[in-house]
Amino acid sequence: MSLPDSELPRTEDEWRVRLSPEEFRVLREHGTEPAWTGEYVDTKTPGMYRCRACGAQLYPSDTKFDSHCGWPSFDDAIPGAIKEIEDNSLGMRRTEIRCARCDSHLGHVFHGEGFTPKNTRHCVNSLSIRLDPSGA
Ligand SMILES: [Zn+2]
């Protein structure tokens, strides 16, 4: 399911042909899907959430929790799978999260909200991830 390094797109045009228009807008142009519309908002299926662009493992399903914010939310990620970038767009100070492997946009990370003991919420677009069910 993970793209070999040799097949990872190098340009935005190469990404554009691999992804649907909606996926391209979110993953490569830092778009945000409307709240409550994503396919994984309420998903409880066990498995591994991977980057929809490159297939890298990002979030085990046991890190997913109900945040009632309208997007899939996770309180932890596979170590090293995510990179954080300061985002001061829209007049807000937020931290953008991207796939460390292919630099695709995932969403934003928030701290100190108290949802879970880890006190972290990775707010991720469903279009940025794909669940690989464990079959359990
Ligand atoms: Zn990726």
Side-chain angles (χ1 to χ4, degrees):
M1 293 214 28
S2 184
L3 273 183
D5 283 340
S6 60
E7 289 181 25
L8 266 189
R10 308 257 175 253
T11 67
E12 295 309 306
D13 281 344
E14 288 176 27
W15 281 117
R16 198 183 296 273
V17 298
R18 298 196 75 103
L19 301 170
S20 74
E22 295 76 26
E23 291 167 350
F24 185 82
R25 191 180 65 78
V26 171
L27 285 158
R28 305 308 304 179
E29 298 183 324
H30 308 164
T32 300
E33 67 194 11
W36 304 109
T37 64
E39 65 180 296
Y40 296 128
V41 174
D42 293 316
T43 302
K44 303 275 198 286
T45 308
M48 176 63 68
Y49 287 89
R50 294 172 178 265
C51 172
R52 193 176 293 206
C54 78
Q57 296 188 346
L58 302 178
Y59 299 104
S61 59
D62 63 4
T63 66
K64 192 171 187 294
F65 66 96
D66 284 325
S67 65
H68 306 287
C69 75
W71 291 274
S73 298
F74 305 86
D75 71 357
D76 208 354
I78 302 275
I82 306 286
K83 71 178 177 190
E84 301 189 355
I85 294 168
E86 194 174 322
D87 174 7
N88 293 317
S89 65
L90 305 177
M92 291 183 276
R93 180 173 299 174
R94 296 182 297 173
T95 303
E96 181 193 353
I97 45 177
R98 295 187 190 175
C99 173
R101 181 155 184 256
C102 74
D103 206 38
S104 289
H105 175 74
L106 302 172
H108 289 85
V109 63
F110 302 90
H111 299 285
E113 298 176 318
F115 279 110
T116 73
K118 289 179 179 164
N119 219 0
T120 296
R121 174 169 63 98
H122 291 241
C123 183
V124 180
N125 292 286
S126 293
L127 282 168
S128 297
I129 51 179
R130 180 159 279 143
L131 176 62
D132 185 7
S134 64

